[in-house]
Structure formats: structure tokens, C-alpha cells
Amino acid sequence: MNALIIDDAADTRLYVRALLEGWGYNTVEAADGLDGLDRMRETSIQLVICDWIMPCLSGLEFCRAVRAAQFPYYVYLILLTSRSDKSDLLAGLNAGADDFLSKPVDAKLLRARLRVAERILTVQGLLADQNRTLRESRERLQYAYDQIQRDLASAARIQRQMLPPPDRLVEPFRAESLFLPAAHVSGDSFNYFYLNNELIGFYLFDVSGHGVQAALFSVRLNASLLPALTSDWTAAGNGSLAAGFPGPGRFLSEVNTRWVEPDVEFDNYATIAYGTLDKQSGEAHIVLAGHPPPLVLRNAGGIETLAAGGLPFGMFPDVNYESQRLVLHAGDRLILYSDGVTECANPQGELFGIERMQSALAARPGDNRLGLTRELEAQLQRWSGTLDFQDDISVLVLERDSET
């Protein structure tokens, strides 16, 4: 250990130096406080034995300067003094001294003081090592956390890109949607697409759970719910590539059977609303796999609710899903939504509920065809009092053209 001896008396420096080197210390000398500070800037020194009364810079001023310098390690300061008044000792402690030693220096007492200093510096060194380790660990964790956040943000962008763009048309129907993930990524998703010259396909699903696991399940399910023979969107309607589509009930049953492995416990499942729309007649066939029943907002007034459906998707094999039939007339709107809408809670824990949702939908003027989801989003935010929802929220609205 390096020790600095500061005293304007050369004989005192020589005596203390001889003692310290005999006990295994590496010593550095200085004749005054200013000289001592220069030595500390040149050499790593953790132990200082300093006289109180010195020219240029006193022992008290030296102590204050050391504490103000904030060295990257702890410096143990022993003041040499003939003072014994209580006020003087308090002044020394307040200046930053750790211990005092009376002059002339007693070798045995100095050795005892140094043992105390060694114990304290050892503990300080251990604490410094632990703090350094903690700091390095925290930096690694912060880097990993930042990387995860970047990855999640990228995943969220990709997931949004998988949704149909807001300006996509499904003539003679129009669509609008709402997508509010509870986290970066969501277990909700929806889509609409041409099946052939006559039919439009659509779905909205809600995967159990939240976060990355639900989002990965969602990505895989999105791919499975698009019939393999469906034409490309840009070429839609120019043929009948999906002419063999078996209907939403049978199709969803077949996909579910492929998904569910016998004797394997499921980690996630999904509720799904899946259907088709006839472009000419407006006839819809909709399958519900444990999903909240869609609503039909009639242009003539009134709201209808479909009947509840079958078991959630991905829980059991060989489920036979059956479809419900309805007809959308000119100006009617079919509204699919996840339970994040109706189960959105206010600060008192009260749920938004289906009745409030129906009131929000019915309040829209009949001649204001679009903006339904924007109004619903505003009401949900006012209800919850926050922009951070506890569950994923998604809504898909398909409206038959009023001129059809």
C-alpha cells in the first residue's frame, strides 16, 4: 500500500517513513499540503499521514481538498496534531479527517491506528469492487434491455405491416379498423381478402396471454388462416383461384385439427371470428371459435348481435365449427372486436361492457360513414383515463356500400 507523509518538519517525515517502510508500506513524502496534493495526483495513494499546522496549505485545508477531489478510491486521512480540544477534533472530522495522532508520534499507537486504517480500506476496496461489478452488470443489463426494446419495436412494426393497410378496398365493401396493443407486440390480429370473384374472406382473432409468446402464436395463426389457394391481393377478382374454398366452418375446423397435437398440453389458444361475404348479395357466413359475437349496425337503425359460437381455437382436436348466416344490406356495417374493448376497465375497475360499446356505435350519425373506430378509441381512452390499455384492443368494421 502506498502511504503519503506530509510534514514541514524533515525529522518527523524521516521517523514516520522509517516506521512505515518497516511495516511494509511504500512511502512518498511532501513538505506541505500543496506538495502533497501534487504527489497524490501523480501516484495512487490511499493512506495519508498529515501534519495539522503547515505552510501554504494546512492539514484541515488539505483534508477538504482531498474530499473535494473525489478520487476514484477512498483515501484514509490521519492528522498529526498536538491539539486535544474537543472543538479542534470536531473541526478535523468535519474537514474530512478519519483519525488523529498526537505528536510526538508513538510507534505502537501509530501501528494500532494503521491496523484500523487497513481494515477500513480493505472493506472500502471490497465495496468498490462490488460496486464496480454491480455497475458493469447494470450496464450489461441496460444494454440487453435496450436491445430487447429495439427488437420489440421492430417486431411491432412488422406486426403492424402484416395488418391490412387502412386504404385497402374490398369493393363493394369498405373497411376501417382499430389496433391498440397492450404491449409492443400483440396477440390480436385481423385481415380481409378476396377469395375469388364472388367472395371476400375476413377474420379477427385474439390470442390468449400477452407479449412475445402471444405475438409469435399470432404470426403463425395469421399464415394459417389465409387459404393456400387465395389469389394475390393485387390480382384479386381476376379468376377463381380459391374456388375450392370449403366454407368458413369446415376450413376453420381443418386448420384447428392440424394445429392441435394429440396428448400435447397447449400453451396458448385463440378466439376467432372467421367469415365470408358475398360481393353481390351481401350474404355473410361467420364462424365463432369462442370469440365475442360480432355486431351488425343496420343502416335503417338498430344493432343486432350474433349468437355465441363454439370452442376456442387450438384447445381440442376434431372440433366441428358451424357458421351463422346474415345479410348486409346497403349501408349496414359488420363489426368484429376483441374482448379488450368490452373488458376495458376504468380507474374504479368497472368494465366498459357491451352496452356502452353499442351506445358508442349507435351514436354515430348515419351519414358519417367512416370514423367509427376513431370515435370508439376516444371513448375507450376517456373511460380508462389512460393511453396504456391492460389488454390488446382490435376492431374491424366492414361496411356494405350504401349505393349497392
Side-chain angles (χ1 to χ4, degrees), residues 96-147:
D98 295 290
D99 204 350
F100 302 90
L101 193 62
S102 298
K103 297 178 72 173
V105 176
D106 181 275
K108 291 183 179 180
L109 194 55
L110 174 60
R111 184 61 179 137
R113 292 285 200 273
L114 292 178
R115 290 194 179 100
V116 173
E118 290 168 359
R119 290 197 297 269
I120 292 176
L121 289 174
T122 297
V123 172
Q124 290 288 346
L126 291 174
L127 289 174
D129 290 342
Q130 292 174 359
N131 287 336
R132 182 168 54 255
T133 300
L134 288 173
R135 183 174 60 255
E136 292 171 353
S137 298
R138 185 171 61 250
E139 290 172 352
R140 289 194 296 269
L141 287 173
Q142 185 64 49
Y143 177 82
Y145 175 81
D146 292 342
Q147 183 62 52

Side-chain angles (χ1 to χ4, degrees), residues 1 19-26:
M1 181 185 297
L19 291 176
L20 266 59
E21 291 184 348
W23 295 330
Y25 287 89
N26 301 317

